[in-house]
Amino acid sequence: MNTDTYQYRLLELTAVSGEFPADLLSRIGPGVSYGEKLITRLKDERLIRTHYRDRLRGYRLTASGKRLLLQQNPERFSFYLTGSSDTNQPRSEAPRRLRLHQTARTCQLMLAAGIELFRDRKPLLFQSRASPAARALPFPVYYQSREIKELGMETVKVNNSRTMGVLLTVDAVYVVYYTGNCAMKWSYQTEIKLKAILQHHISQGVLSGFYRTDTEIHAVMIGSDMDTASVLMTSTGGYHKCCFSLDTSYSSFHFVPDTTAGESLLRLLAFPEILLQLKALLGSDLYQPDGEAYPFEHDAIDRSGIPVLYACDFDMQRISRFVAALRLRQLNGQILCFDFQKEAVLRYGKDVVEVHTIDLDKFKRRFFK
């Protein structure tokens, strides 16, 4: 089978997730009509089948589809297509199937952003105890939560973590979550323990050969669309405080929508040199920040003397702190972000901030080769 086709991309994403959501098909490349033909062809070849239950429609590999992938690339697929894992023997319960769909959506975002995730193209960091300095890491690279659990007993204490996996970039580590269209269930203590495990491995474990001991660990929250960002930024955790709210578990919570715009935003986080170039361009017409006049977090001062925050990476923590500081001091400020992020920013802080936007399409033409 030609591996450079939409057909193969669908098969491999189904393999690494266990079930591919039907409504995600158009995002891997083909249009609606071509996607329908692709599904028909794969069904005729008995490589996939449709699974529909509890209003969730998805595609699963057949036994023939699994054999084909295992014969072609066992190093890539044996982890997912052998044993009793959810990817090899997916269950029918709605919560478990929803988790498989979220895994597929997360992996699709990673691939679209140019992030490596396949096991035959990256060192198996959390499985091997060999010296990490002896292995090259193809930044940016993504490891699913199940791969992190190859560390063994030390991950038992974070079995209830809601993380989808970890994104490793040149200068930072991002713990990735999928929240859908609402505030996800959240356990502060569990996520703090996960962060502590990662900090240990950065300082003296499997990640120590790639990072400084003071490397920052951030969170990435993937949601259905930018409306979800507004939900997360205003959430107080619910009545029983069991849902997500902006807490101190991470200093940064970046929000990425599960859309084509989100693919570009994730790429911006994954390749920090692009983000630095963008910030340099934004600052070319602005003045340096003034900590004496504005003793709170900001990135620049505009020509009228108003504090400016760069929010293209949509760090909800920074936006929240900036807006809170403006309200406390009864000041006005300015936020620079992409056009698709504007409404979410205004819903949160329109009383104190003016929003200037960057056209995402123009940005992509200039910065994404």
Side-chain angles (χ1 to χ4, degrees):
M1 179 182 291
N2 184 354
T3 60
D4 294 324
T5 62
Y6 295 135
Q7 175 175 308
Y8 189 78
R9 175 54 57 86
L10 173 60
L11 291 177
E12 62 186 2
L13 281 172
T14 306
V16 301
S17 63
E19 181 172 319
F20 189 87
D23 62 347
L24 188 61
L25 182 61
S26 62
R27 291 269 299 283
I28 67 172
V32 176
S33 60
Y34 181 83
E36 293 175 353
K37 294 177 182 177
L38 185 151
I39 292 298
T40 300
R41 185 186 314 133
L42 290 175
K43 286 183 177 180
D44 290 342
E45 296 173 358
R46 298 184 178 180
L47 297 178
I48 66 169
R49 61 185 177 87
T50 300
H51 187 83
Y52 182 75
R53 185 176 177 177
D54 298 317
R55 294 186 292 180
L56 286 176
R57 183 182 300 276
Y59 304 115
R60 295 181 176 182
L61 293 175
T62 63
S64 297
K66 294 176 183 178
R67 282 196 300 270
L68 174 67
L69 294 179
L70 286 171
Q71 290 171 359
Q72 187 172 55
N73 195 336
E75 188 179 1
R76 176 176 296 188
F77 297 113
S78 59
F79 179 76
Y80 307 101
L81 300 181
T82 57
S84 58
S85 65
D86 274 1
T87 49
N88 186 43
Q89 297 179 6
R91 278 61 167 180
S92 294
E93 296 91 337
R96 285 190 149 180
R97 291 188 61 214
L98 182 60
R99 176 77 176 185
L100 299 183
H101 284 209
Q102 292 173 346
T103 299
R105 293 180 183 280
T106 302
C107 289
Q108 189 279 328
L109 273 170
M110 296 293 167
L111 290 177
I115 299 166
E116 188 55 73
L117 62 84
F118 294 119
R119 287 171 69 84
D120 58 320
R121 294 181 179 174
K122 64 186 182 185
L124 306 182
L125 288 180
F126 303 98
Q127 179 186 78
S128 173
R129 294 298 180 178
S131 171
R135 303 188 301 275
L137 200 57
F139 293 118
V141 59
Y142 176 70
Y143 290 86
Q144 292 188 44
S145 58
R146 186 176 159 221
E147 294 178 281
I148 299 172
K149 290 178 180 178
E150 289 184 295
L151 284 171
M153 289 301 296
E154 66 180 291
T155 62
V156 170
K157 65 185 71 174
V158 293
N159 275 345
N160 293 327
S161 171
R162 307 295 293 183
T163 180
M164 304 302 299
V166 174
L167 168 63
L168 307 179
T169 70
V170 172
D171 65 351
V173 173
Y174 295 91
V175 184
V176 180
Y177 300 90
Y178 196 103
T179 188
N181 60 1
C182 61
M184 65 188 298
K185 289 185 178 179
W186 188 259
S187 171
Y188 173 82
Q189 294 298 331
T190 301
E191 304 309 333
I192 279 290
K193 291 176 183 177
L194 173 62
K195 183 180 177 181
I197 290 175
L198 292 173
Q199 287 173 328
H200 165 76
H201 283 283
I202 287 173
S203 63
Q204 53 186 297
V206 297
L207 297 174
S208 59
F210 307 107
Y211 292 108
R212 304 185 313 273
T213 56
D214 60 347
T215 297
E216 295 185 354
I217 301 177
H218 304 303
V220 171
M221 309 297 294
I222 301 175
S224 300
D225 50 39
M226 289 305 300
D227 289 340
T228 309
S230 301
V231 173
L232 297 183
M233 294 181 72
T234 56
S235 172
T236 59
Y239 181 73
H240 296 290
K241 304 298 181 183
C242 61
C243 294
F244 174 84
S245 62
L246 287 176
D247 56 33
T248 57
S249 51
Y250 298 97
S251 59
S252 296
F253 283 95
H254 301 274
F255 182 83
V256 174
D258 184 13
T259 62
T260 54
E263 295 169 3
S264 299
L265 179 53
L266 187 59
R267 186 173 178 181
L268 195 64
L269 295 175
F271 296 91
E273 64 276 11
I274 302 178
L275 183 58
L276 288 175
Q277 293 174 28
L278 175 59
K279 289 182 177 180
L281 179 62
L282 294 177
S284 60
D285 292 330
L286 300 172
Y287 299 113
Q288 293 295 314
D290 187 344
E292 292 187 3
Y294 303 109
F296 53 86
E297 193 171 15
H298 62 288
D299 295 308
I301 302 294
D302 75 357
R303 296 185 180 279
S304 61
I306 293 177
V308 179
L309 186 78
Y310 304 154
C312 301
D313 58 354
F314 215 87
D315 182 350
M316 295 185 289
Q317 288 281 41
R318 292 193 79 220
I319 296 172
S320 176
R321 291 193 294 264
F322 184 67
V323 170
L326 293 175
R327 287 172 176 160
L328 179 64
R329 292 168 172 80
Q330 297 183 335
L331 298 173
N332 290 323
Q334 184 183 123
I335 288 182
L336 301 183
C337 63
F338 287 114
D339 46 11
F340 71 92
Q341 300 167 330
K342 178 179 180 179
E343 291 304 317
V345 174
L346 286 176
R347 277 195 293 269
Y348 185 73
K350 64 181 179 180
D351 57 316
V352 291
V353 297
E354 178 184 354
V355 179
H356 291 188
T357 63
I358 304 161
D359 186 286
L360 179 63
D361 292 331
K362 291 182 179 178
F363 164 78
K364 289 163 62 175
R365 287 195 295 269
R366 177 165 182 168
F367 288 92
F368 292 168
K369 306 299 181 184

